[in-house]
Amino acid sequence: SESPLGSITCKFLVTSSHLRVLVMNCKNLKPCTQLQRSQSQDLSATLSNFIRNSRLNKSSHNISRTLESKVDCMKDKVESWRFSFQEARIRAHISSNNGMASPYVTVKLVPGPTGTVAYSKVKTSIQSRTLFPIFDETFDLILPELVKRDKLYLLLSVKDLGPLGDRILLGEAVIPISEIKNFGSSTNR
């Protein structure tokens, strides 16, 4: 079945102390084609506070504001400017792409499925302006001795490099190391 975000083809080989990852290609990548705002409650609350504060600031009965409300108003304005800057960067990225992407893949060895801290991190070269990149790159990652294999995960992230250096995430996959067969294990050859 076809994935809505595209697919990635990789091969893995686990030895006693190493993990070899061959990143082969990606297919049917879907580049960032529309501006998507975060729907987090923090951002929504910040924007609604900014709108409420700007209305209150214009009203004639609110001439004497406290110092705390002035600081809150300035924080809201800075957050709004920061969001506008991010929005402009994404718009520049979308307009320069013409429906294409400049993808690359990062490979991380992480201690859990959330991927908070990476033991090892490598990345492929960037393939300019394509939705079907062919990487054919091999990486050897050293497996940490002190961590059990069932606690290790491989995090594959496909990202798009924009004209302003933006790195927009196109998709991710998390693979437990324990599910990758060891080289030399009892299998029919």
Side-chain angles (χ1 to χ4, degrees), residues 45-63 65 69-78 80-81:
T46 301
L47 290 176
S48 64
N49 283 340
F50 175 72
I51 293 168
R52 183 180 53 80
N53 285 342
S54 62
R55 278 189 309 218
L56 290 174
N57 293 341
K58 293 177 183 175
S59 67
S60 60
H61 69 278
N62 192 22
I63 294 175
R65 291 185 294 166
S69 67
K70 288 180 183 179
V71 169
D72 287 342
C73 180
M74 287 305 297
K75 285 181 183 177
D76 290 342
K77 287 182 181 180
V78 168
S80 175
W81 290 332

Side-chain angles (χ1 to χ4, degrees), residues 82-100:
R82 185 185 66 80
F83 188 72
S84 295
F85 181 69
Q86 287 176 343
E87 186 176 282
R89 290 176 72 102
I90 292 173
R91 286 189 190 277
H93 186 91
I94 292 169
S95 66
S96 69
N97 277 353
N98 293 329
M100 301 304 276

Side-chain angles (χ1 to χ4, degrees), residues 22-176:
L22 170 60
V23 180
M24 297 171 69
N25 60 41
C26 292
K27 296 179 183 174
N28 301 317
L29 291 179
K30 306 295 187 259
C32 181
T33 57
Q34 62 183 354
L35 184 63
Q36 297 176 349
R37 292 188 176 190
S38 171
Q39 296 300 319
S40 69
Q41 292 179 349
D42 293 336
L43 184 58
S44 299
T46 301
L47 290 176
S48 64
N49 283 340
F50 175 72
I51 293 168
R52 183 180 53 80
N53 285 342
S54 62
R55 278 189 309 218
L56 290 174
N57 293 341
K58 293 177 183 175
S59 67
S60 60
H61 69 278
N62 192 22
I63 294 175
S64 61
R65 291 185 294 166
T66 65
L67 179 61
E68 186 177 300
S69 67
K70 288 180 183 179
V71 169
D72 287 342
C73 180
M74 287 305 297
K75 285 181 183 177
D76 290 342
K77 287 182 181 180
V78 168
E79 178 67 22
S80 175
W81 290 332
R82 185 185 66 80
F83 188 72
S84 295
F85 181 69
Q86 287 176 343
E87 186 176 282
R89 290 176 72 102
I90 292 173
R91 286 189 190 277
H93 186 91
I94 292 169
S95 66
S96 69
N97 277 353
N98 293 329
M100 301 304 276
S102 295
Y104 65 97
V105 178
T106 60
V107 180
K108 293 182 191 178
L109 195 57
V110 295
T114 57
T116 53
V117 177
Y119 290 116
S120 297
K121 178 181 176 182
V122 292
K123 76 175 195 173
T124 65
S125 59
I126 298 165
Q127 303 292 317
S128 296
R129 305 184 61 78
T130 182
L131 298 179
F132 299 92
I134 298 174
F135 298 107
D136 200 26
E137 296 182 38
T138 303
F139 302 103
D140 283 322
L141 304 173
I142 298 174
L143 296 172
E145 294 176 13
L146 301 176
V147 181
K148 293 182 181 179
R149 298 258 170 109
D150 61 343
K151 304 280 187 205
L152 281 175
Y153 294 83
L154 191 65
L155 175 65
L156 300 165
S157 303
V158 180
K159 298 179 182 176
D160 183 9
L161 182 67
L164 301 174
D166 298 307
R167 290 163 173 82
I168 296 176
L169 181 67
L170 297 179
E172 286 186 323
V174 178
I175 303 166

